[in-house]
Amino acid sequence: VQVIARNAEAGHDRVHARPNKSAASSATKMQEDSESAVDRMDVDVEDDSENTDDSDEERSESMAPLGLAQQSYAGTHSNPLGRPHVFSPEAASSSAAKKPDAIARFHEQRAAMLGATGSAGHGWYLVLHADDIHSSTQIADAIREFLGTSNYYTDSLLQKVIRALRLYGQLVIWGNLETVSQIGATQFHLWMDRDGVACGRVGAMMVERFNRLTKHRLFCGLVTRDELMMEQRAVALLQWLSEVARSCDPLCQAVAECILPNRHLVPLLRADFKMSARVTKAWYSLLLTLLAVPTFKSHLAAAYCDTYRYVTSKYARGMGVLERSGYTLSVQFLNRVTYVVDLVKGRDLLGKLGKSLLETMLVACRSKHLNGRLDPNHFVLTHRRYSPCISDLKCVLNVKGMPRLFACKGGSFLWDWIDTLSISQQMDPQHWRTWKQGHVEDESRGWVGAFNASISLGSLFERLLGWDDNEQSPISDPASPLSKELMSCSELSYHILLDGVFAWQKKEMHLYQATPLQSTEQHKFAPGSLPFSTVSASNGTAVAMHHLPVAQNTSFSFHLPLHRFIAGCLRELCLRRDDALSGISSLLQRLSIGLGDKDCDHLFLGLMEFPLLIVSRAAQVRAGLWRRNGAGLSDQVLNYSEPPFCRTMRDADLLLVQFSVLGRTLNQSPNSTPQATDVGMAFFVNLLLHRLGVFEFCGLRRAPDEFISRYVEETEKGLYTAEPKAKDSSSSDLVLPSSYSPANDQASFLVLLEEFLYCIIIFTSELPQVAPSDRNKHTEQARQRLHREVVHRLASGPKTHSELLEVHHVMSHWDNLLLSEEGKLINPDDATGAALGKVLEEVADRKSSSKLEADKWGIKRDAWKIYDPSFHHISLRMHQTAAENRPKPVVDKASPWGQTAQPYVPEPPEAHPIFDRLRRDATSDAATLAVAYRVLHMHMREKTDRDTSHLPGRLAYDKDKSETALARAVHLLTLGVYAWTKSSRSDDYWRGHGGGSPGSIFYDWGGNVAPVLSDWVEAVLLADPAIVTGTEWYRGEENLLTLLRRLAIAGGEAGSFTAQDVCVSGGAAWICETAAKHSFAAKDLVRPRLKDANASSKKMSLAERQRR
């Protein structure tokens, strides 16, 4: 059996083996005569194989069955004949002319060697091995070309051949009979008699036949007749041994003791993909029987670990089928603590798994002149050849204590993991097709492989980070590097940010260059800086901002696994106590100390730019601006932004943007040094407006156009880059920053406006929650999150229990673990289902169905109070259905609104203290509030006949309107009320708690006390619209509270837009009442008019008001 393994290795490598002196001496007299001529030549003949990558050591092993001992010599290159290079003046004078002759003689010697070996083995047989990366059509074409055009084979016959190949794992497609028909009986007998010429001819023929298959990337091997006969004996032997081992335990022990680790297990595992399918089937059957012996299992685990990188390298290059490989055995020992600890400690199992995963991904890398990124159409990604590494890593990480070793400085896995994520960045880039281009004709399916790779890598994130900072290493040996230098989560995040993210971003950002506007089309224009709005510049920001030069046609990718792994680290940090040693504060402190101001700004710039580019492009796809790229792009957006994969993609990008807002403050205002309490909210809002392409549609005016002198001064200070000039422009020409939008009609702009408001809403609402104080508190938080997820799934209609189990895909690993432990107390057999059932009893009623259908659960009326119309874990279609199902406000004739005033959205969950300030920052940002006013004004204004020709973004005031945008504006203002209700006059550190950064309406707050809700009401709801929007056109228009009051009364008045959803008008009424409670000016504005409005509303019936 050991010989079988050795011959299997040789069968794949012997065609490309390099003959040396011993091979030449065993060949014919012709090769011996030509040997001296070749030896004089200083030539390095390269291997002509396209798909062999064996090292010299592997080649030596493959030649061993042939009796060839390849020698090793020092030097850069090895001589094809196994001799050291010797300089020869005679050869040097004519090396160019003699080199082709040397190559020809080299191939002649190799052919003679193969012929002699086949003659000694009584004939050559060419064996084709099955794989799962070639389709039936590809294999049929390769076989048809292999057999030649002189032979006609029908498609049905070839399909039978292919089915047999896949069924049995291999197929002999060339043997002695075909050789006789090719060269004749006389030459065949001469070959069997080891005639030199005949051996060379047969060897050359077999090489040529071999290459016909390998050029199609098929895997095949050359075996002799003797080896085939020996293989049959080996199968019988293995089957007999299996029967013996199964007969009784003592014989099983005896058979196990006869199979030695290094002599038998290692060679057989190395030849895993090269042995006959019949041999491997019998071999695995024997192994499964012998695994009952603990000593044998430990020996097999050690051999599996020792051969892992070699076998994986073959599998990564397309060899073998997963179902017929040794990978299926790993679950027998990689889920056992004892074996895993021993392998990690003594054989560096984690390091080998990480290195194997990296090497597998590197196979799919493009060349450097093709950007060096992973090729999504490569079979490594399309056929998931990395999956064994991922599966084995999951098994190992499920063993208690193993995830803690991920943060060990002395191990190699961490650094290989960073490299793996780095090369997986920006897979499958997408390019926008302009309006002038037609619809894409052939859609590539490479995106499927890219998403599978991202999802597989993302499935390891929480497993790798599933440990506590005070957890000790499972390796107790003090001499082992894995037993010490364990980093905390904060320190680990810092190293990944510096050694991974920062290094990758620094290299990637060089690819983005600003372009002159005059020299290119608008969609190709990448500005050097982005203009702030005049309303932001009037509230403390600079007039423009530094950014990553991105044009509309700049490619983007949905895949940022390295950034998203950092998002996973941030989630874990939010679960830890926030102090100088752990938590988010610790990480921010490490970054401020370890990086200079400029490097820190570049780091946070990339953390904001790259994820936000994906978020904005996904929004453009939903708006229909990328439909020329095909339906496949819409499918990618669904996978990116909706369950079950949104947690590791869109949600991770959102967290990165939130974190970057905390850290990116440099050059946001004209002041050279930012305040310690500043955050980059103005950066985020302005960047989102430009990336979506709604800056001008929202009626915002570019600050550089209004403050030219400030722009020149700030560019000279280096706050941002000046715009590049075209070659034909003079040096005195001043080029100002501009903006661009791919939308060309009002409908597209309205959808983009809805997307902008949606992004701001989920940015404000979905913040990391407060860190739990203990395990019980963490369990309670997990139950609340499950409660919230279930309610929103039920809002769109009744669901079965199995459908609701899908909510666990968007919950964290810790939440599912804690809920499962709680569920075990109820039902140990179905812990997850028990935890879900407990929540369902609180929020839903069970509805019996027919005998053929499962019972469904319907939401209770009381549970609707936590429904959020912009909840990000259900689709827009489900929200539309939920809006129809949502209970309407109770009719209240005594109320001035005609119905009960109730908030449009519930109060968001309590946020982490570091992130909580972002709610005040977002709801006090001047540009955001200007957009909110604009939305309400374009829908609820009274003077609908006023000239808008000179108004920026006048297209918004055309006939079409969007109730979704109106509802989201009310949603955003409701969040503002919630955020500022918690403010206190006595808060001396109010800027650190949010609301006072550049771009905020309270940036120039000069009061001796902190601003509170009443100040927010006066600065937002009661302020002059010209100040709110930064545009004089709005001077004298109705303020925001007046517009909200009009919306609250039956959804609008005659002549203006009428909201159909009474929940929106009820939400507007709640804001008005809340404002009236906290501001006398708001009370005076709302209450007197309510009486008039109530009197006029009595003239129409309740049904009419609801219809309107």
Side-chain angles (χ1 to χ4, degrees):
V1 177
Q2 181 185 9
V3 173
I4 290 297
R6 185 181 63 189
N7 291 339
E9 291 271 8
H12 287 261
D13 300 333
R14 57 181 28 134
V15 170
H16 303 294
R18 300 184 178 187
N20 56 15
K21 185 174 182 180
S22 60
S25 62
S26 64
T28 60
K29 182 79 164 53
M30 177 185 66
Q31 280 80 28
E32 293 177 349
D33 294 339
S34 62
E35 182 181 324
S36 58
V38 178
D39 288 343
R40 291 196 302 268
M41 306 194 60
D42 185 17
V43 178
D44 181 25
V45 181
E46 295 293 339
D47 190 353
D48 63 345
S49 169
E50 294 183 350
N51 51 355
T52 180
D53 60 327
D54 294 339
S55 63
D56 291 337
E57 179 183 355
E58 294 166 357
R59 292 186 184 280
S60 299
E61 295 177 1
S62 67
M63 293 180 190
L66 307 179
L68 306 179
Q70 183 171 352
Q71 303 177 29
S72 176
Y73 297 95
T76 306
H77 300 284
S78 59
N79 188 276
L81 301 182
R83 292 174 173 76
H85 292 299
V86 179
F87 177 74
S88 171
E90 180 182 357
S93 63
S94 57
S95 59
K98 294 184 178 180
K99 185 174 182 179
D101 295 337
I103 297 176
R105 292 187 182 112
F106 165 77
H107 290 302
E108 289 174 0
Q109 289 187 5
R110 184 174 62 179
M113 178 191 70
L114 283 173
T117 305
S119 174
H122 300 94
W124 276 125
Y125 288 81
L126 186 57
V127 182
L128 178 62
H129 290 261
D131 60 57
D132 55 6
I133 66 174
H134 290 92
S135 64
S136 298
T137 303
Q138 292 173 324
I139 298 175
D141 293 341
I143 294 177
R144 186 177 284 111
E145 181 181 343
F146 172 82
L147 297 175
T149 57
S150 60
N151 298 313
Y152 177 74
Y153 297 92
T154 62
D155 291 338
S156 60
L157 179 59
L158 289 178
Q159 290 302 320
K160 291 181 179 179
V161 172
I162 295 170
R163 284 195 295 271
L165 174 64
R166 297 193 187 282
L167 178 62
Y168 299 109
Q170 66 179 26
L171 203 62
V172 176
I173 61 174
W174 190 273
N176 285 342
L177 183 61
E178 289 77 12
T179 301
V180 171
S181 63
Q182 185 76 12
I183 65 174
T186 303
Q187 288 293 321
F188 182 83
H189 288 297
L190 289 174
W191 173 44
M192 288 293 100
D193 293 337
R194 301 192 181 185
D195 177 75
V197 176
C199 286
R201 182 179 178 183
V202 172
M205 180 189 66
M206 296 307 298
V207 170
E208 190 268 338
R209 292 286 171 178
F210 189 93
N211 289 335
R212 284 190 186 185
L213 294 176
T214 56
K215 78 176 184 179
H216 291 276
R217 301 292 181 182
L218 295 176
F219 287 91
C220 50
L222 281 176
V223 295
T224 64
R225 182 179 181 277
D226 291 348
E227 291 169 355
L228 284 177
M229 299 300 294
M230 189 184 300
E231 184 178 286
Q232 296 181 14
R233 295 173 58 194
V235 172
L237 170 64
L238 290 171
Q239 292 173 345
W240 177 76
L241 283 175
S242 297
E243 293 297 330
V244 170
R246 280 194 291 265
S247 62
C248 62
D249 290 344
L251 286 178
C252 183
Q253 179 76 29
V255 174
E257 291 174 354
C258 292
I259 301 179
L260 304 179
N262 294 328
R263 185 176 180 184
H264 300 130
L265 289 177
V266 170
L268 284 167
L269 289 177
R270 282 176 61 90
D272 193 15
F273 297 122
K274 301 176 181 179
M275 289 190 299
S276 164
R278 296 179 61 212
V279 173
T280 55
K281 182 179 180 180
W283 168 238
Y284 294 147
S285 176
L286 175 61
L287 289 181
L288 289 174
T289 303
L290 298 180
L291 283 173
V293 181
T295 304
F296 180 81
K297 181 181 285 190
S298 64
H299 289 166
L300 179 62
Y304 182 84
C305 183
D306 292 342
T307 59
Y308 194 85
R309 283 185 63 186
Y310 175 82
V311 174
T312 304
S313 67
K314 300 301 179 185
Y315 185 71
R317 285 163 175 79
M319 186 179 294
V321 180
L322 182 62
E323 291 76 12
R324 297 193 183 104
S325 69
Y327 291 124
T328 57
L329 302 172
S330 61
V331 71
Q332 300 294 331
F333 44 82
L334 289 186
N335 57 358
R336 301 292 190 271
V337 178
T338 304
Y339 297 124
V340 171
V341 171
D342 290 342
L343 292 176
V344 170
K345 175 184 174 182
R347 300 179 184 272
D348 191 22
L349 175 61
L350 267 180
K352 290 179 179 178
L353 289 174
K355 185 68 70 177
S356 298
L357 179 60
L358 173 60
E359 292 171 346
T360 300
M361 289 299 192
L362 285 172
V363 174
C365 267
R366 298 176 184 266
S367 58
K368 289 186 177 180
H369 72 279
L370 293 176
N371 69 36
R373 296 168 182 162
L374 295 184
D375 180 6
N377 293 303
H378 196 280
F379 62 78
V380 167
L381 299 186
T382 57
H383 291 80
R384 304 179 65 182
R385 308 295 281 191
Y386 51 82
S387 59
C389 300
I390 299 290
S391 299
D392 287 347
L393 274 170
K394 288 180 180 179
C395 286
V396 172
L397 294 174
N398 285 336
V399 174
K400 185 178 180 180
M402 287 299 111
R404 189 66 181 99
L405 298 178
F406 171 70
C408 179
K409 291 182 180 180
S412 62
F413 179 80
L414 171 60
W415 316 114
D416 291 333
W417 175 250
I418 293 176
D419 291 341
T420 301
L421 297 182
S422 297
I423 65 173
S424 302
Q425 296 271 89
Q426 301 282 32
M427 288 185 290
D428 190 30
Q430 307 293 323
H431 304 271
W432 183 65
R433 296 180 67 86
T434 66
W435 301 112
K436 297 180 181 179
Q437 293 176 294
H439 194 282
V440 63
E441 296 180 359
D442 297 322
E443 292 189 52
S444 172
R445 297 291 296 174
W447 69 268
V448 177
F451 265 86
N452 282 334
S454 284
I455 293 167
S456 297
L457 292 172
S459 66
L460 295 174
F461 290 175
E462 291 187 331
R463 286 180 168 88
L464 290 169
L465 299 171
W467 42 270
D468 294 325
D469 290 345
N470 56 1
E471 186 177 338
Q472 299 299 317
S473 171
I475 307 300
S476 57
D477 184 7
S480 173
L482 298 177
S483 64
K484 47 194 173 184
E485 294 187 305
L486 299 180
M487 295 181 284
S488 65
C489 189
S490 174
E491 188 178 1
L492 173 68
S493 303
Y494 173 76
H495 280 288
I496 296 177
L497 279 170
L498 259 65
D499 300 330
V501 175
F502 182 70
W504 181 87
Q505 288 183 171
K506 190 174 182 181
K507 180 176 65 175
E508 185 73 12
M509 286 181 179
H510 288 298
L511 303 177
Y512 297 83
Q513 300 295 329
T515 56
L517 176 61
Q518 298 93 330
S519 63
T520 185
E521 300 176 74
Q522 272 201 319
H523 65 273
K524 297 180 180 178
F525 171 56
S529 59
L530 292 178
F532 273 115
S533 62
T534 53
V535 66
S536 295
S538 301
N539 286 279
T541 69
V543 298
M545 60 176 279
H546 175 63
H547 78 125
L548 195 67
V550 172
Q552 178 61 34
N553 72 331
T554 301
S555 63
F556 83 100
S557 170
F558 286 100
H559 309 288
L560 293 174
L562 181 59
H563 285 71
R564 289 163 187 162
F565 184 68
I566 277 295
C569 294
L570 295 177
R571 285 176 178 147
E572 292 297 322
L573 284 174
C574 290
L575 297 177
R576 285 161 169 77
R577 183 181 59 187
D578 197 58
D579 54 26
L581 299 178
S582 62
I584 296 291
S585 298
S586 171
L587 177 60
L588 291 172
Q589 184 177 359
R590 290 177 189 273
L591 292 173
S592 63
I593 297 175
L595 290 173
D597 291 342
K598 188 174 181 180
D599 287 342
C600 194
D601 179 67
H602 275 76
L603 172 64
F604 284 105
L605 170 67
L607 291 177
M608 180 183 291
E609 286 274 6
F610 290 108
L612 194 59
L613 180 61
I614 304 176
V615 172
S616 61
R617 292 298 187 258
Q620 288 183 355
V621 173
R622 286 191 291 266
L625 302 179
W626 288 65
R627 62 171 60 97
R628 284 173 174 76
N629 289 68
L633 194 57
S634 298
D635 294 337
Q636 296 181 60
V637 172
L638 290 177
N639 281 280
Y640 168 76
S641 58
E642 294 186 7
F645 308 124
C646 62
R647 175 173 172 79
T648 56
M649 292 188 172
R650 192 272 315 276
D651 295 0
D653 292 345
L654 176 64
L655 178 57
L656 283 175
V657 173
Q658 292 166 340
F659 179 67
S660 66
V661 169
L662 294 176
R664 189 186 175 195
T665 59
L666 187 65
N667 298 331
Q668 187 174 213
S669 67
N671 300 326
S672 57
T673 303
Q675 299 295 321
T677 56
D678 288 350
V679 295
M681 181 58 65
F683 277 148
F684 161 63
V685 173
N686 194 56
L687 185 62
L688 182 60
L689 286 166
H690 285 284
R691 291 289 181 259
L692 287 173
V694 293
F695 183 88
E696 295 183 353
F697 180 77
C698 291
L700 301 174
R701 294 184 297 123
R702 296 191 294 265
D705 296 347
E706 304 291 330
F707 310 109
I708 297 179
S709 59
R710 280 183 59 184
Y711 172 75
V712 174
E713 180 182 353
E714 289 171 0
T715 54
E716 292 176 351
K717 286 183 178 180
L719 297 184
Y720 40 83
T721 306
E723 294 301 307
K725 298 178 180 179
K727 295 181 180 179
D728 55 351
S729 62
S730 62
S731 58
S732 60
D733 292 341
L734 179 62
V735 182
L736 297 176
S738 62
S739 60
Y740 171 76
S741 176
N744 57 6
D745 59 78
Q746 187 193 18
S748 299
F749 274 117
L750 286 175
V751 179
L752 290 177
L753 176 60
E754 296 169 5
E755 292 289 344
F756 169 76
L757 294 171
Y758 176 73
C759 289
I760 298 296
I761 287 170
I762 62 171
F763 174 91
T764 308
S765 302
E766 306 305 325
L767 295 172
Q769 294 190 17
V770 63
S773 56
D774 52 33
R775 195 174 185 86
N776 293 333
K777 181 64 175 177
H778 197 171
T779 304
E780 178 62 27
Q781 289 181 351
R783 193 183 304 112
Q784 292 174 358
R785 285 189 280 268
L786 179 61
H787 190 279
R788 190 171 180 229
E789 294 286 346
V790 170
V791 166
H792 284 88
R793 291 296 178 99
L794 292 174
S796 60
K799 301 288 189 300
T800 63
H801 191 277
S802 59
E803 289 175 329
L804 292 171
L805 280 173
E806 296 177 0
V807 300
H808 291 283
H809 294 306
V810 293
M811 299 188 67
S812 70
H813 166 75
W814 288 114
D815 286 353
N816 288 326
L817 180 63
L818 294 172
L819 291 172
S820 179
E821 291 179 357
E822 187 180 51
K824 288 179 181 178
L825 302 176
I826 303 173
N827 184 0
D829 297 329
D830 185 14
T832 303
L836 176 61
K838 186 177 181 181
V839 172
L840 284 174
E841 291 177 358
E842 300 173 1
V843 302
D845 295 319
R846 188 165 188 166
K847 299 181 179 181
S848 300
S849 303
S850 63
K851 294 182 179 180
L852 299 178
E853 295 182 359
D855 292 348
K856 293 187 176 182
W857 295 83
I859 186 172
K860 294 180 179 179
R861 184 180 180 88
D862 293 341
W864 279 101
K865 62 184 179 182
I866 67 170
Y867 170 71
D868 184 348
S870 294
F871 186 66
H872 64 315
H873 282 167
I874 63 175
S875 65
L876 177 61
R877 181 173 298 178
M878 295 177 70
H879 273 302
Q880 292 171 345
T881 306
E884 299 174 358
N885 299 336
R886 187 178 186 181
K888 308 308 179 200
V890 179
V891 176
D892 186 2
K893 295 182 179 180
S895 171
W897 317 106
Q899 62 182 4
T900 303
Q902 61 184 29
Y904 182 61
V905 295
E907 186 172 2
E910 184 182 3
H912 190 280
I914 300 299
F915 290 90
D916 184 62
R917 63 162 298 164
L918 295 180
R919 287 177 176 161
R920 292 191 197 177
D921 289 312
T923 54
S924 64
D925 180 75
T928 302
L929 295 173
V931 174
Y933 175 85
R934 169 98 164 186
V935 172
L936 277 158
H937 185 267
M938 60 190 273
H939 288 87
M940 293 289 118
R941 74 190 189 281
E942 186 176 20
K943 302 175 183 178
T944 58
D945 56 347
R946 187 177 176 187
D947 181 26
T948 59
S949 58
H950 299 291
L951 179 65
R954 60 168 302 276
L955 188 63
Y957 286 87
D958 284 356
K959 183 178 180 180
D960 294 338
K961 296 296 183 287
S962 169
E963 184 165 345
T964 301
L966 180 64
R968 287 176 178 173
V970 174
H971 189 152
L972 184 59
L973 293 173
T974 306
L975 293 177
V977 173
Y978 287 138
W980 287 94
T981 300
K982 302 177 181 179
S983 58
S984 172
R985 288 287 187 193
S986 60
D987 186 3
D988 296 332
Y989 191 64
W990 69 269
R991 290 185 184 271
H993 295 150
S997 298
S1000 169
I1001 57 175
F1002 297 122
Y1003 175 71
D1004 293 324
W1005 180 261
N1008 296 325
V1009 292
V1012 292
L1013 179 59
S1014 59
D1015 301 305
W1016 183 86
V1017 169
E1018 293 180 1
V1020 177
L1021 303 183
L1022 299 174
D1024 185 347
I1027 298 177
V1028 173
T1029 61
T1031 303
E1032 281 298 320
W1033 187 92
Y1034 290 97
R1035 184 77 65 183
E1037 290 292 307
E1038 298 164 306
N1039 61 29
L1040 197 51
L1041 187 61
T1042 303
L1043 298 174
L1044 286 169
R1045 181 195 56 78
R1046 183 173 293 122
L1047 174 61
I1049 301 174
E1053 295 180 354
S1056 66
F1057 179 83
T1058 304
Q1060 301 299 314
D1061 188 354
V1062 295
C1063 294
V1064 177
S1065 57
W1070 181 83
I1071 296 175
C1072 291
E1073 289 196 353
T1074 305
K1077 292 178 183 178
H1078 292 81
S1079 170
F1080 289 109
K1083 183 177 181 180
D1084 294 338
L1085 180 63
V1086 173
R1087 293 299 180 186
R1089 300 197 180 191
L1090 284 178
K1091 297 179 181 179
D1092 300 336
N1094 190 29
S1096 62
S1097 64
K1098 290 180 180 179
K1099 297 178 181 179
M1100 65 179 72
S1101 65
L1102 174 62
E1104 177 63 19
R1105 291 202 306 272
Q1106 289 182 344
R1107 185 192 66 79
R1108 294 184 57 194

